[in-house]
Amino acid sequence: MSKIDRAVEDFIAVIMETDEYKEYDTQRNKVKQYPELKAQIDEYRRRNYLMQTREDTAFEMIDQFEREYEDFREIPLVADFLAAELAFCRMIQRINIRITEEVHFE
């Protein structure tokens, strides 16, 4: 195993010990207990991703999407999962930005 492989494995272990990951893992496991709800969350996430990555997304489209899922997002299990996922994703994004900046990747 190379030095970089060992460092990556150690880094992954550190990530899995963070509060963000632990909360995400807890919420993910709770959601998995309700397959129908998990499928709805996955569909919400898929549609949200597609909408965010489209170049021609209009404000009206975003507004309609938010109204459509307003009650769904108020379900405590859904809200807790999405909040934990967002916190974990933001942590990973900060790590990626830091690595990219430090190695002067252009």
Side-chain angles (χ1 to χ4, degrees):
M1 182 180 288
S2 73
K3 185 175 179 180
I4 192 75
D5 290 334
R6 282 191 300 278
V8 168
E9 286 193 13
D10 290 345
F11 186 51
I12 291 168
V14 170
I15 287 172
M16 293 176 76
E17 290 300 317
T18 63
D19 291 340
E20 290 89 347
Y21 177 79
K22 288 178 182 178
E23 181 63 17
Y24 167 71
D25 191 47
T26 296
Q27 296 304 325
R28 180 182 58 185
N29 288 326
K30 286 181 183 179
V31 166
K32 284 182 178 180
Q33 295 176 20
Y34 303 92
E36 287 184 25
L37 184 62
K38 181 177 183 326
Q40 291 175 315
I41 291 171
D42 290 346
E43 176 64 12
Y44 166 82
R45 292 163 66 221
R46 184 187 71 76
R47 288 186 60 202
N48 189 30
Y49 172 79
L50 290 173
M51 185 177 54
Q52 289 182 25
T53 57
R54 283 182 59 164
E55 292 182 22
D56 62 340
T57 302
F59 176 75
E60 295 81 22
M61 185 182 220
I62 295 168
D63 190 48
Q64 169 60 31
F65 180 79
E66 289 178 356
R67 279 185 275 129
E68 182 180 342
Y69 281 98
E70 186 174 9
D71 291 339
F72 178 72
R73 292 195 61 188
E74 290 180 10
I75 298 170
L77 194 54
V78 172
D80 292 347
F81 171 78
L82 293 174
E85 180 185 54
L86 180 61
F88 180 61
C89 287
R90 285 186 175 159
M91 181 187 74
I92 295 297
Q93 287 171 341
R94 286 191 308 272
I95 292 167
N96 285 335
I97 289 168
R98 176 81 190 276
I99 290 169
T100 302
E101 288 175 348
E102 292 296 324
V103 298
H104 307 289
F105 186 73
E106 295 180 11

